[in-house]
Amino acid sequence: MNSFTRSFTVLLLLFTLIIPTAYGASSPAAGSKIASAKIQKISRLSLPIYDDKNNLYTLYIFASNEKVGKIKEDDHYTGFRKGQVSYSGTFQAALMKKGDKYAVVQPVDLKLSILVLPDKRDYILKRADKNSPDMFIMMDYGTSNFDLFRAFIVKSGKLQVLTFADKDGNRYDQIWGASRINGIRSLPGAKIQTNQYDNSKGKYVFDTFALNLPTLTLRRHDSSYGNSSSWKQAGTGDRAYLAALKKSALQGILPGNPKIKLGMKAREVRGVLGTPKDMSNGEWHGYYHYNTTFVGFNDYIHDLSDTSVVTELLMDVEKMNLTVSHVKNWLGKPSDEYVNEEEGDYEVVYNLGSRGLVFYSADENSFINRVSIF
């Protein structure tokens, strides 16, 4: 997603220019002031927007070289309908603070060449609390699964484009993907959350970003997968789950049940979890089966005794919808990752001192089905 523009060439197929508007062909320079009466007359969009200091502005979108046309045919991707009036030109942004008598032209490049009203693709995403700025969202067609968007805020009286970044602030791009309808929402604490359909997984992926004002970045704050685009599917996210899983691995304990730990004896396991539902042998040792937990020992089943020692905690995590990429996002670069041809799976390994944490999936792009602590 390295480009964002309303392609004028493609859209020429959709509309016919019919009227040049007489505002002059030259675009005003950044920093130029336009009187309130004039900016209201020439603007096609005027949107209220709060800045990072809780000041109210009006954001105006206009084009000095504007031309008017009509859409020639329906277009599924843009939502344009035959006969709609269209406005083309080099669109600019201007900001007018509440109480001022003029708007100031902004230096930011909107990459916008056409507007069709009513415009639902360029809008204000209202803040979730007064400690956050509103965001100006500009959507553009991406794929059949999602659209692309850029996000802007007003900081120190200027409209600023935001860059998406990872949790450490390493920059991705100024573009992200979101579902065409109801694909972005505000969250408290200057955060936004997106959803988009991932057809490689057959599920919706939810990404949460936190605004970092000094760097003008939206840093990745969380991620998760869900079965539908409903925000209720977003869950608590992968970040906290994986942090807790890593902590459990460092301590050598079973997540959610710290009484079960590496090094304890078989009879102690049964004293806590009861008689196992089943037992089986793996490649390296035998296991007690408890629903989605498999306790591995230093002996195979035929040699297993009360004093056999726990050497592995293996968990079925299919319902968590974890992916290899999300694991790397939150736990960092693994110690090793490879295709285990003997076992027929893909393994991502984190060495944690004397402990280890391994994620297993069918391949690099599939959901993780098992996690092992050893």
Side-chain angles (χ1 to χ4, degrees), residues 210-253:
L211 174 63
N212 184 277
L213 267 174
T215 60
L216 292 172
T217 55
L218 283 165
R219 295 189 178 183
R220 205 167 195 176
H221 183 77
D222 216 334
S223 60
S224 64
Y225 274 89
N227 296 321
S228 80
S229 61
S230 169
W231 295 118
K232 292 181 181 179
Q233 288 283 314
T236 55
D238 299 333
R239 186 174 190 171
Y241 175 77
L242 288 168
L245 188 61
K246 181 180 178 180
K247 183 177 180 180
S248 293
L250 286 166
Q251 296 173 337
I253 61 176

Side-chain angles (χ1 to χ4, degrees), residues 1 123 125 135 137 139 146-151 164 175-179 181-187 191-197 204-210 218 220 222-226 228-231 233-234 326:
M1 296 189 292
Y123 63 92
L125 184 66
M135 290 189 189
I137 302 295
M139 302 290 296
F146 57 85
D147 277 353
L148 305 176
F149 74 95
R150 289 192 299 163
F164 293 90
I175 304 165
W176 201 255
S179 295
I181 299 173
N182 193 34
I184 314 171
R185 69 168 176 170
S186 292
L187 296 176
K191 298 184 185 71
I192 66 168
Q193 189 172 54
T194 65
N195 72 60
Q196 58 178 292
Y197 186 69
Y204 284 83
V205 59
F206 295 83
D207 288 303
T208 305
F209 295 90
L218 283 165
R220 205 167 195 176
D222 216 334
S223 60
S224 64
Y225 274 89
S228 80
S229 61
S230 169
W231 295 118
Q233 288 283 314
H326 282 181

Side-chain angles (χ1 to χ4, degrees), residues 14-28:
L14 297 177
F15 70 91
T16 302
L17 300 180
I18 56 177
I19 307 171
T21 309
Y23 296 135
S26 61
S27 300

Side-chain angles (χ1 to χ4, degrees), residues 83-344:
Q84 282 185 291
V85 176
S86 61
Y87 302 91
S88 65
T90 306
F91 284 93
Q92 295 177 270
L95 282 173
M96 187 166 69
K97 190 174 182 179
K98 184 179 179 181
D100 284 354
K101 296 181 179 180
Y102 55 84
V104 179
V105 177
Q106 300 298 296
V108 66
D109 182 4
L110 296 178
K111 304 183 188 298
L112 179 62
S113 59
I114 184 169
L115 275 175
V116 177
L117 304 179
D119 179 23
K120 297 181 180 180
R121 301 174 69 78
D122 305 299
Y123 63 92
I124 300 299
L125 184 66
K126 294 183 178 179
R127 57 195 180 167
D129 53 58
K130 290 187 176 181
N131 295 321
S132 309
D134 290 333
M135 290 189 189
F136 175 48
I137 302 295
M138 294 188 68
M139 302 290 296
D140 197 14
Y141 173 71
T143 73
S144 57
N145 292 335
F146 57 85
D147 277 353
L148 305 176
F149 74 95
R150 289 192 299 163
F152 303 76
I153 62 167
V154 179
K155 178 187 177 186
S156 302
K158 294 182 180 180
L159 187 67
Q160 307 270 18
V161 64
L162 302 175
T163 300
F164 293 90
D166 67 14
K167 64 181 175 62
D168 299 316
N170 299 309
R171 294 169 183 253
Y172 296 142
D173 205 330
Q174 292 178 348
I175 304 165
W176 201 255
S179 295
R180 189 162 298 146
I181 299 173
N182 193 34
I184 314 171
R185 69 168 176 170
S186 292
L187 296 176
K191 298 184 185 71
I192 66 168
Q193 189 172 54
T194 65
N195 72 60
Q196 58 178 292
Y197 186 69
D198 183 346
N199 59 5
S200 71
K201 304 289 189 299
K203 294 180 185 288
Y204 284 83
V205 59
F206 295 83
D207 288 303
T208 305
F209 295 90
L211 174 63
N212 184 277
L213 267 174
T215 60
L216 292 172
T217 55
L218 283 165
R219 295 189 178 183
R220 205 167 195 176
H221 183 77
D222 216 334
S223 60
S224 64
Y225 274 89
N227 296 321
S228 80
S229 61
S230 169
W231 295 118
K232 292 181 181 179
Q233 288 283 314
T236 55
D238 299 333
R239 186 174 190 171
Y241 175 77
L242 288 168
L245 188 61
K246 181 180 178 180
K247 183 177 180 180
S248 293
L250 286 166
Q251 296 173 337
I253 61 176
L254 181 66
N257 193 339
K259 292 182 179 179
I260 303 300
K261 59 186 71 177
L262 298 176
M264 70 188 306
K265 295 180 171 55
R267 64 170 177 267
E268 295 172 319
V269 172
R270 297 195 304 274
V272 177
L273 298 179
T275 302
K277 292 187 174 183
D278 200 358
M279 295 185 290
S280 67
N281 283 324
E283 183 179 1
W284 304 108
H285 45 233
Y287 292 92
Y288 280 174
H289 297 195
Y290 295 97
N291 296 323
T292 59
T293 299
F294 305 84
V295 181
F297 297 91
N298 62 340
D299 292 315
Y300 290 104
I301 294 302
H302 58 277
D303 292 325
L304 201 148
S305 67
D306 283 353
T307 57
S308 294
V309 175
V310 175
T311 56
E312 182 187 13
L313 300 171
L314 182 66
M315 296 153 283
D316 182 341
V317 296
E318 279 189 292
K319 292 183 178 180
M320 296 305 301
N321 290 329
L322 290 171
T323 64
V324 172
S325 63
H326 282 181
V327 167
K328 292 178 182 178
N329 280 340
W330 307 121
L331 296 187
K333 184 179 179 180
S335 305
D336 200 3
E337 60 180 312
Y338 53 88
V339 176
N340 186 329
E341 294 182 356
E342 291 185 6
E343 294 294 317

